[in-house]
Structures are given as C-alpha cells and as structure tokens.
C-alpha cells in the first residue's frame, strides 16, 4: 500500500476546472494505447469503474463543492481536524511506548530476511495484542467510526471462529481453525479494523520497518516485508514466507494469523478485482471478510484520491461508517488444494455473492492508467510498465 501511495501521489495535481467541465479530459494529442483521443471522462469512468469516486467531492476529491459542504468542511477544518490529529497522534505514540516496553531487551526474530516480534510469548505478547486491539478501535472512534455494523453470524476468540449450531433452541459453539483472513481492500482503514478485530500480520514494504513509531508497531504485528533488493540464493521469497506463516497459523492457534488482500490494490468498495493466488498456496482454510464503508458526503474508499487529501477529508467528516460481514471458514476441496487459482476464484465468487459486489477483471495496471488520465498524464507506457506490488 505504501508504495502505491507514493506512486499515485507522485503524479502532478491537475488545476481546478471550470464548473461546466470540472473533470479533465485526455489531451487530443494523446498517444494513449488504452483510450482513443476522443475518450471522454464518462467513457473512462465506465472502463475503470472500480476506481471511480461518486461522493460529493468528485474525481480525486477535487470537484466543485456545494455551499453547504464548503461551510461544513470549513467548520471541521477549524474545530474537528486539529482535535482528531492530536488525539490520533497521542494514541499512536502511546502504543509505540507499550511496544517499546514489551520488546525491551529482546532481539527480534530474524529469519528469511524478515524481522519481527510476532512469536514472542507470555505477558509481553498478551499486552501487545490486547492493547493493540483496544487502541486500534479507539483510533477508529477518533476518526469518526463510532459504531461498527457486524452482520456476521459468529465472533472470534483466540484465532478461531465461533459458529452457531443450526439445531434446536440451544446453540453450541464450534471452534474452527484457519490460517488466513482474506478481505476485500477498500482503504488503509481496513488494516485498522482488522487490527481491532483479530490483530493479524500482513504484508508491507520493507521501508515500513524503518518508519518512526510505525516501524516497531509493524514488527510487533509480525508483518512480512517485501524484499525486492534481496540477492540471497537461499531466500525463499515473500510468497514462500507467507505460505509458511499461513500453514503455521492453521496448525497453531497461538501463532499470529495472516491478513491478506488478494486483490492487490484498493477499489471504491463496490467491486471485487481478480484474486492473486498467494493467499491460497498454503492449502489451509481461510476466513473471507467483506468490508463496506457507507457514506453520504465523503467516501472513505481510497481509490482515485491522494493519500494526504484523503486523510484530511476523512478526519473532517463528522461521522464515518463500517459494515463488516465475516463468512464461515472456507475449507478448500482436494481439487482446490491442487489448484490455488481455482481456490482463489471460488472464494472470490463467494465473497462477491455474499457481499453483493460486482466482479471486475481489471487490476492495478489499469488503476494507474486511470489515475494518469485524471492527471492529464499522457505518458501511458511509463504507467503501464511499473512494477506491481
């Protein structure tokens, strides 16, 4: 996610357009191999529908605002934004100090060019997990997510999903193990929700480990870092590390679960992109989770808007909403175990059906093309040939 944020923010910002044509068009002389010179913004939105914003703020959050919205935004910028920034910073610093205290005099695990504290045990791990879940929820509250609508049938305890028996009047609790949580990806807020719910590990760029405050927190989460610069001949790769961690989490309920976003990028929340098979190579059961962010003014989805602008507008919205639907543990068939792509596609079809999501066959490359078009960037080859994360 961090690498995608940097790449998207690197594009030059388009100046505001007149009200009669507030959405930029591709330049007539564009040599865009994807769109013809006469391509309009409406055609682009149809082609790249999973990344289109429909909130009050318009494409890239730069649309012309009605007078009432300008007034509300002005009030929030003066009175709400400073309070939320200060409170959010205090929570992050406080949790960093907890992590620093719990990891004092301990050396992190260093294996397969990774570095983490996820497998420490005893009171240290208990404090990190419980305080992390609680403070993540407090941080969501500070951001305006005062309540979370959970429509799933069961809860989660110690890495196992509780399901209710369909028999009789008495409910029986059945604990089912799983190796990973697979979730649709709408925003960076997804990570905060999952931290508050199950405190899983996830995949991050290696530079995240070096960030102030967040670096140590990511190590305590047990993040798997992308090692593009590694030349070691015995390095098994991120995919191999993920597979081992998912298998370990399935076999040991005390091991941290893996959170994976198989789409590989964020959408506007109405679509489900093709799944990458990395989350399913371990052949272990997974828990599909569907997240949605209902809105009236500003959409919390991180689709075609810069990171800084998104954070500011999110914190200026008085109330935000999350809807969560956790599906039962998905146990792969023998055929799915033999074919991870089939396993991934079947889980995707299930999530789309249960979450009322629209299936799309485009991905991160097309997202970059759409963003470049919105920015008036005609250098499409440089957009299409960037490395995917």
């Amino acid at each position: 996610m961090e690498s995608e944020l940097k790449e998207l923010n690197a594009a030059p910002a388009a100046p505001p357009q007149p009200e009669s044509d507030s959405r930029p068009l591709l330049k007539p002389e564009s040599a865009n191999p994807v769109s013809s010179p006469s391509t309009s913004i409406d055609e682009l939105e149809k082609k790249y529908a999973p990344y289109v914003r429909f909130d009050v703020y318009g494409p890239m959050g730069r649309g012309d605002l009605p007078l009432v919205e300008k007034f509300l935004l002005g009030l929030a910028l003066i009175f709400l934004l400073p309070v939320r920034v200060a409170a959010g910073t205090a929570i992050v610093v406080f949790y960093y100090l907890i992590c620093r205290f719990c990891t004092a005099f301990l050396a992190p695990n260093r294996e397969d060019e990774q570095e983490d504290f996820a497998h420490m045990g005893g009171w240290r791990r208990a404090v990190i997990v419980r305080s992390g879940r609680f403070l993540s929820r407090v941080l969501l509250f500070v951001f305006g997510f005062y309540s979370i609508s959970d429509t799933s049938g069961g809860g989660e305890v110690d890495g196992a999903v509780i399901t209710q028996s369909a028999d009789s009047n008495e409910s029986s609790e059945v604990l089912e193990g799983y190796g990973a949580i697979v979730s649709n990806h709408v925003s960076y807020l997804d990570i905060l929700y999952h931290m508050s719910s199950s405190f899983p590990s996830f995949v991050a760029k290696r530079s995240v480990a070096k960030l102030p405050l967040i670096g140590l927190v990511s190590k305590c989460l047990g993040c798997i870092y992308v090692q593009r610069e590694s030349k070691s001949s015995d390095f098994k790769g991120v995919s191999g590390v993920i597979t081992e961690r998912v298998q370990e989490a399935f076999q040991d309920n005390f091991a941290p679960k893996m959170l994976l976003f198989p789409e590989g990028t964020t959408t506007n929340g109405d679509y489900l992109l093709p799944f990458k098979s990395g989350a399913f190579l371990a052949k272990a059961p997974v828990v599909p989770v569907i997240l949605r962010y209902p809105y009236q003014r500003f959409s919390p989805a991180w689709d075609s808007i810069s990171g800084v602008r998104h954070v500011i507008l999110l914190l200026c919205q008085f109330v935000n909403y999350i809807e969560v639907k956790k599906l039962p543990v998905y146990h792969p068939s023998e055929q799915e175990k033999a074919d991870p792509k089939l396993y991934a596609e079947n889980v995707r079809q299930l999530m789309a059906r249960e979450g009322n999501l629209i299936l799309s066959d485009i991905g991160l490359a097309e997202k970059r093309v759409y963003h470049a078009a919105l920015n008036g960037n005609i250098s499409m080859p440089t957009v299409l040939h960037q490395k995917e994360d």
Side-chain angles (χ1 to χ4, degrees):
M1 278 184 61
E2 184 197 40
S3 63
E4 183 188 342
L5 182 148
K6 290 181 178 178
E7 291 163 352
L8 299 184
N9 285 346
Q17 301 295 320
E19 184 173 352
S20 59
D21 187 17
S22 60
R23 297 174 296 183
L25 304 180
L26 288 176
K27 295 181 180 180
E29 67 273 19
S30 170
N32 181 4
V34 178
S35 303
S36 64
S38 60
T39 300
S40 69
I41 195 68
D42 291 332
E43 292 172 317
L44 284 173
E45 289 181 350
K46 183 177 180 181
K47 187 176 184 66
Y48 305 114
Y51 312 120
V52 178
R53 296 186 70 81
F54 296 104
D55 62 6
V56 174
Y57 290 82
M60 306 189 78
R62 299 174 182 169
D64 291 330
L65 299 178
L67 186 60
V68 173
E69 185 62 29
K70 290 180 179 179
F71 175 74
L72 293 174
L73 181 60
L75 286 179
L77 284 170
I78 297 172
F79 298 105
L80 189 59
L81 181 63
V83 174
R84 284 181 168 174
V85 169
T89 302
I91 291 170
V92 173
V93 171
F94 181 54
Y95 187 54
Y96 167 81
L97 294 176
I98 292 176
C99 292
R100 177 60 68 188
F101 173 76
C102 291
T103 58
F105 308 109
L106 289 180
N109 297 324
R110 290 187 175 90
E111 186 177 346
D112 297 314
E113 300 190 21
Q114 301 295 320
E115 183 177 345
D116 66 76
F117 293 96
H119 293 81
M120 79 169 98
W123 65 269
R124 297 172 187 262
R125 178 65 181 169
V127 170
I128 285 177
V129 172
R130 292 177 184 176
S131 62
R133 292 179 66 169
F134 173 74
L135 291 176
S136 297
R137 182 65 190 92
V138 173
L139 192 56
L140 284 172
F141 185 89
V142 168
F143 288 174
F145 295 93
Y146 304 123
S147 63
I148 297 177
S149 174
D150 190 340
T151 59
S152 52
E156 185 175 328
V157 176
D158 296 330
V161 171
I162 299 178
T163 58
Q164 299 293 328
S165 171
D167 302 330
S168 67
N169 297 326
E170 296 186 4
S171 62
S172 62
E173 294 183 348
V174 181
L175 297 181
E176 296 185 84
Y178 62 95
I181 300 166
V182 292
S183 173
N184 64 319
H185 203 6
V186 184
S187 173
Y188 51 83
L189 297 163
D190 302 347
I191 294 175
L192 268 182
Y193 164 74
H194 286 292
M195 284 179 63
S196 70
S197 174
S198 53
F199 204 77
S201 304
F202 55 92
V203 179
K205 192 177 179 182
R206 186 70 183 103
S207 59
V208 171
K210 300 178 182 179
L211 292 175
L213 306 179
I214 301 300
L216 179 60
V217 173
S218 70
K219 294 176 185 178
C220 290
L221 275 164
C223 287
I224 295 176
Y225 301 111
V226 176
Q227 295 278 64
R228 291 176 181 167
E229 72 279 6
S230 176
K231 303 296 181 182
S232 174
S233 59
D234 60 348
F235 179 58
K236 63 173 67 69
V238 174
S239 179
V241 176
I242 292 174
T243 299
E244 285 189 356
R245 290 281 293 274
V246 172
Q247 290 173 338
E248 179 186 4
F250 174 54
Q251 296 166 1
D252 181 4
N253 278 338
F254 293 100
K257 303 300 179 183
M258 284 298 305
L259 165 64
L260 296 165
F261 300 110
E263 293 172 284
T265 190
T266 52
T267 69
N268 58 17
D270 295 327
Y271 290 79
L272 203 59
L273 305 181
F275 280 8
K276 300 180 186 303
S277 59
F280 308 93
L281 294 173
K283 306 176 183 180
V286 298
V287 171
V289 177
I290 303 163
L291 301 179
R292 303 200 79 148
Y293 295 83
Y295 65 92
Q296 293 181 343
R297 297 166 49 227
F298 175 76
S299 169
W302 190 27
D303 33 44
S304 61
I305 183 172
S306 71
V308 173
R309 184 182 296 270
H310 187 280
V311 170
I312 292 174
L313 295 179
L314 176 79
L315 296 183
C316 286
Q317 184 154 256
F318 296 95
V319 182
N320 292 294
Y321 303 93
I322 301 181
E323 291 181 353
V324 182
K325 187 171 186 178
K326 296 177 185 175
L327 303 183
V329 177
Y330 188 102
H331 295 270
S333 65
E334 292 302 320
Q335 186 179 6
E336 289 171 329
K337 290 179 180 179
D339 186 352
K341 290 185 178 180
L342 175 64
Y343 185 7
E345 182 58 25
N346 287 347
V347 172
R348 177 175 177 249
Q349 294 283 345
L350 173 66
M351 291 177 64
R353 183 170 63 252
E354 294 295 326
N356 196 26
L357 300 173
I358 305 169
L359 294 174
S360 173
D361 60 356
I362 64 176
L364 181 56
E366 288 81 5
K367 183 177 187 179
R368 288 170 173 156
V369 171
Y370 177 60
H371 284 200
L374 290 177
N375 280 298
N377 185 350
I378 63 174
S379 301
M380 292 301 158
T382 62
V383 177
L384 288 170
H385 291 90
Q386 293 182 47
K387 280 186 178 181
E388 287 200 17
D389 299 327

